């Protein structure tokens, strides 16, 4: 029996409905991930960790076919400089490796910004905390599981 990924345990504790999807082999790209999950690429959600300042982070959830709107993020935080967290920071701050990052179960002190592209799909898939394993759930269930998500237009095509 496979062990439940950390994010699934988190959802279970919140009584949120979800399905665990285990890829049969290593995920190499977005199209493969979507096809194997029976989804369209825009239903796959990326969880991206950013650094605002030393020790200050935030996460953006965005549909995988979209690009981050850097100018919008800088305006949102009223900062001229934001950077992507590096691999070491991502693991240290979230507890998850790149390729498995999820907002589920991270510190409630890390703001989570949800791009409207995530809400345009009723069913989405998101990282589980384990590489090659995803969680499939409704966008509303994801919002229910998050602590005070900030919804906005944080991406562009």
């Amino acid at each position: 029996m496979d062990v439940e990924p950390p994010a699934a345990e988190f959802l279970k504790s919140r009584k949120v409905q979800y399905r665990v999807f285990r890829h049969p082999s290593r995920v190499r790209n977005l199209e493969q991930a979507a096809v194997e999950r029976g989804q369209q690429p825009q239903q796959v959600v990326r969880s991206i960790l950013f650094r605002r300042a030393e020790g200050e982070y935030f996460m953006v959830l965005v549909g995988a076919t979209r690009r981050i709107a850097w100018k919008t993020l800088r305006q949102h935080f009223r900062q001229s400089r934001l950077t992507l967290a590096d691999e070491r920071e991502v693991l240290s701050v979230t507890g998850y490796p790149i390729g498995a990052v999820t907002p589920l179960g991270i510190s409630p002190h890390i703001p989570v910004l949800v791009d409207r592209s995530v809400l345009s799909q009723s069913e989405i898939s998101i990282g589980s905390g384990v590489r090659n394993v995803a969680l499939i759930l409704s966008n509303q269930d994801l919002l229910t599981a998050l602590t005070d998500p900030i919804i906005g237009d944080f991406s562009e095509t």
Side-chain angles (χ1 to χ4, degrees), residues 23 25-30 32-34 36-37 131-133:
H23 288 275
S25 62
R26 185 172 152 233
V27 175
R28 299 191 187 289
N29 57 52
L30 169 62
Q32 174 198 358
E36 288 179 0
R37 295 173 194 174
R131 287 189 178 121
N132 303 310
V133 178

Side-chain angles (χ1 to χ4, degrees), residues 12-76:
K12 192 181 294 181
S13 74
R14 297 271 175 117
K15 297 181 177 21
V16 171
Q17 297 288 315
Y18 66 93
R19 291 189 332 264
V20 175
F21 182 88
R22 297 177 193 282
H23 288 275
S25 62
R26 185 172 152 233
V27 175
R28 299 191 187 289
N29 57 52
L30 169 62
E31 290 74 22
Q32 174 198 358
V35 167
E36 288 179 0
R37 295 173 194 174
Q39 295 184 317
Q40 297 298 312
Q42 61 269 24
Q43 290 177 276
V44 177
V45 175
R46 290 185 297 150
S47 303
I48 306 170
L49 188 69
F50 291 83
R51 181 179 55 248
R52 291 179 57 188
E54 188 65 35
E56 283 187 48
Y57 299 91
F58 67 94
M59 186 176 283
V60 177
L61 306 185
V62 63
T65 59
R66 312 270 304 173
R67 291 186 332 219
I68 294 295
W70 285 87
K71 182 178 179 183
T72 303
L73 286 179
R74 287 192 299 269
Q75 288 172 342
H76 177 81

